[in-house]
Amino acid sequence: MIDLNFFFQIGEWIGTAAFAVSGAMIAIDSGTDIFGVMVLAVVTALGGGTMRDVFIGHFPPRMFSSSNYVALACVCALTVFVLARIYKERYLAREKLVEQVNNVFDAIGLGVFAVSGARIGVEAGFGGNTFLVTFLGMITAVGGGMLRDVLIKEIPFVLKKRVYAVAAIAGALCYALMAEHGMSTVWAYSAGWAVTVVLRLLATVFRWDLPKAL
């Protein structure tokens, strides 16, 4: 018998670590110091969940109720920073490979938080409101990245490239619909995660973008 709480906790640890690594890589590429790398990693990993908690009135937001996730994000950020500093020349020389690794971590984090945000919406009593549950999944997945990009004075990635939010919406909606129709929570979680990750990676590989006016 699967312990669902443990299953979801493992997923959130993986998502937190993945987004923290992704945020740290982008922070390093932007030229921030070690404190900046750690702050941006934490914001990327936990900012979306904090925004979600504010929307549903959960105070204080979960990141302030437990320091474990903040600590995990900081450890991941520090590890990336130390490796980049020690192997600086290799890190810079393999910029394309670093970007590809970052995309994979980003896709994993996006999938985990799209479905975990939707799951928290359902557990908060909003299971009958598919739109709200999907929105909560989407904001959990992309909110941290948007805050990170604003802090480094970039147009949020979600607003300009690679059907980013669309992938999160698809995964969250998949979870919401499966949960609404009584499907196994584990299957709904896994399917929503897979949909998001596959769309995100396919969009990266094939350079899928939404239409622009100019």
Side-chain angles (χ1 to χ4, degrees):
M1 186 68 179
I2 297 175
D3 183 340
L4 291 181
N5 288 329
F6 181 71
F7 176 80
F8 294 138
Q9 190 173 47
I10 290 294
E12 289 181 352
W13 285 344
I14 293 172
T16 299
F19 261 1
V21 169
S22 174
M25 287 181 170
I26 291 175
I28 291 170
D29 190 52
S30 299
T32 63
D33 60 18
I34 185 171
F35 180 73
V37 170
M38 295 180 73
V39 168
L40 291 176
V42 171
V43 167
T44 305
L46 304 174
T50 300
M51 293 172 69
R52 175 205 62 225
D53 288 345
V54 170
F55 276 116
I56 64 176
H58 187 284
F59 297 105
R62 287 170 174 80
M63 74 168 286
F64 298 106
S65 301
S66 173
S67 60
N68 293 339
Y69 293 109
V70 176
L72 175 60
C74 288
V75 168
C76 290
L78 186 59
T79 301
V80 173
F81 179 87
V82 170
L83 289 175
R85 186 172 176 84
I86 293 175
Y87 302 105
K88 183 176 181 179
E89 293 183 1
R90 294 183 184 179
Y91 190 91
L92 293 174
R94 299 179 179 179
E95 185 176 354
K96 187 173 182 180
L97 177 60
V98 169
E99 182 180 353
Q100 292 173 344
V101 171
N102 180 48
N103 283 333
V104 172
F105 277 107
D106 192 69
I108 293 171
L110 190 74
V112 167
F113 286 121
V115 291
S116 69
R119 178 182 64 84
I120 288 173
V122 171
E123 292 181 349
F126 304 112
N129 189 335
T130 304
F131 174 73
L132 177 58
V133 169
T134 303
F135 173 79
L136 292 173
M138 184 269 293
I139 202 66
T140 303
V142 307
M146 292 180 71
L147 292 174
R148 176 204 63 217
D149 292 344
V150 169
L151 287 173
I152 61 175
K153 296 183 179 180
E154 293 280 347
I155 296 175
F157 188 85
V158 64
L159 301 180
K160 61 181 181 178
K161 295 192 77 174
R162 305 288 182 265
V163 297
Y164 196 79
V166 174
I169 290 170
L173 180 60
C174 176
Y175 175 89
L177 292 175
M178 290 180 72
E180 186 177 334
H181 287 84
M183 297 292 290
S184 163
T185 305
V186 173
W187 279 109
Y189 192 98
S190 301
W193 177 82
V195 166
T196 302
V197 172
V198 169
L199 280 177
R200 171 78 175 94
L201 292 178
L202 286 176
T204 300
V205 172
F206 295 105
R207 299 186 176 276
W208 293 341
D209 290 320
L210 295 177
K212 297 179 182 179
L214 298 176

